[in-house]
Amino acid sequence: RATSTAFATSVQGRSTSTSSSRRRGSSKVHMSCGLCMDDEQAMRSGPLTHLDIFCPCAPCCRLDFALCEMTAVFGTVQVSNVKRASSTGLPSQTESLQEFAAWLDKDKLVAFRVESDEHTIEDSVWLALLDGKAFALEQDELHAGQHFERGWSVVRDHWFSFARTECAGGTRVYKALEEQTLFNVQSMMKIKDLKFLQGVPKRTRLSTAAWYKNNEFSLHRETYQLLVDSL
């Protein structure tokens, strides 16, 4: 029906039973639905159909709000224009993969998106310290159980392990892992110039296992939140 549709609903008390105990909590159900026949208009103003309480009638479940059978109970849906912000204040990630890969180099601090099923104590953003420039694989490779295809742009790096959150200020403390890993550049967040409060870690040829074991680096909570908001 509509070429641009966004639907979000928080469901509590879904049962259609007339029992009062089964209906308890249903007042917390809310609904918002964006419907627009014009893709460009949807991107510009995002007309949003909304109702304070979710209506379970058959037409509303089909998104035919004009045919709602329970307006006397739940009221009439409203339509509001929700314009896009001119600037989100978040870092731009529109740079091409080739341009971003050319920027990567030794001791750069980078961030990776993490799939929800891999969230651990590290949360949804993982950090890594690069060992050098990005390069294209000349042949297929298997590394740490992961398959990398010929031609992929990859980089060698070291993960940072999240150690703790400091109570004062909420900074996140990390330690670099000594084991080197290989990663696809495409899996990185294209955000440059990330820094710890101590600056960017610097290593030399004399850096040993003790460097990885003994050095800790703190990430400001606002910097981490910026990464999370940029996902």
Side-chain angles (χ1 to χ4, degrees):
R1 180 186 304 104
T3 55
S4 298
T5 304
F7 185 76
T9 180
S10 173
V11 179
Q12 297 184 29
R14 286 184 176 179
S15 172
T16 57
S17 168
T18 57
S19 167
S20 60
S21 62
R22 296 295 295 275
R23 293 199 308 268
R24 186 175 296 116
S26 61
S27 62
K28 297 179 181 179
V29 176
H30 302 279
M31 178 196 69
S32 63
C33 181
L35 291 174
C36 184
M37 296 299 293
D38 185 332
D39 283 343
E40 293 186 3
Q41 181 185 357
M43 292 298 293
R44 291 194 305 270
S45 60
L48 186 70
T49 300
H50 55 92
L51 189 65
D52 290 339
I53 301 176
F54 175 71
C55 176
C57 78
C60 282
C61 288
R62 298 195 304 266
L63 309 185
D64 288 328
F65 305 119
L67 301 179
C68 178
E69 298 171 349
M70 305 181 69
T71 54
V73 178
F74 296 102
T76 305
V77 296
Q78 305 294 319
V79 178
S80 301
N81 285 334
V82 184
K83 294 184 178 180
R84 298 181 67 185
S86 58
S87 175
T88 63
L90 299 176
S92 171
Q93 298 187 65
T94 59
E95 190 174 28
S96 71
L97 181 64
Q98 292 75 14
E99 291 173 329
F100 181 72
W103 172 82
L104 299 174
D105 205 346
K106 181 178 173 62
D107 291 331
K108 296 285 189 183
L109 180 63
V110 295
F112 289 81
R113 295 180 178 85
V114 182
E115 297 296 335
S116 58
D117 60 353
E118 295 184 1
H119 287 188
T120 61
I121 190 174
E122 310 284 348
D123 211 345
S124 54
V125 177
W126 293 359
L127 302 178
L129 183 65
L130 301 189
D131 263 353
K133 294 181 178 296
F135 59 96
L137 285 178
E138 297 182 355
Q139 61 184 12
D140 290 2
E141 287 190 20
L142 188 65
H143 185 88
Q146 297 187 49
H147 178 69
F148 294 82
E149 296 183 9
R150 179 178 179 272
W152 281 8
S153 180
V154 298
V155 65
R156 302 190 188 280
D157 59 23
H158 297 261
W159 282 124
F160 278 98
S161 174
F162 172 69
R164 64 186 182 278
T165 298
E166 298 286 2
C167 294
T171 57
R172 294 170 61 89
V173 179
Y174 293 84
K175 300 184 73 171
L177 301 181
E178 185 178 5
E179 181 182 2
Q180 187 186 71
T181 58
L182 183 70
F183 267 93
N184 187 352
V185 172
Q186 193 166 7
S187 63
M188 293 182 185
M189 301 177 68
K190 291 186 288 188
I191 298 179
K192 298 179 178 180
D193 301 323
L194 290 176
K195 294 180 180 179
F196 289 112
L197 295 180
Q198 298 89 341
V200 177
K202 296 293 184 182
R203 295 163 297 169
T204 67
R205 292 182 179 179
L206 299 179
S207 295
T208 62
W211 185 93
Y212 294 95
K213 180 180 179 180
N214 298 328
N215 283 284
E216 293 187 336
F217 303 93
S218 300
L219 188 72
H220 197 285
R221 64 179 180 180
E222 292 183 359
T223 302
Y224 180 76
Q225 189 58 52
L226 186 69
L227 290 173
V228 172
D229 291 342
S230 300
L231 289 174

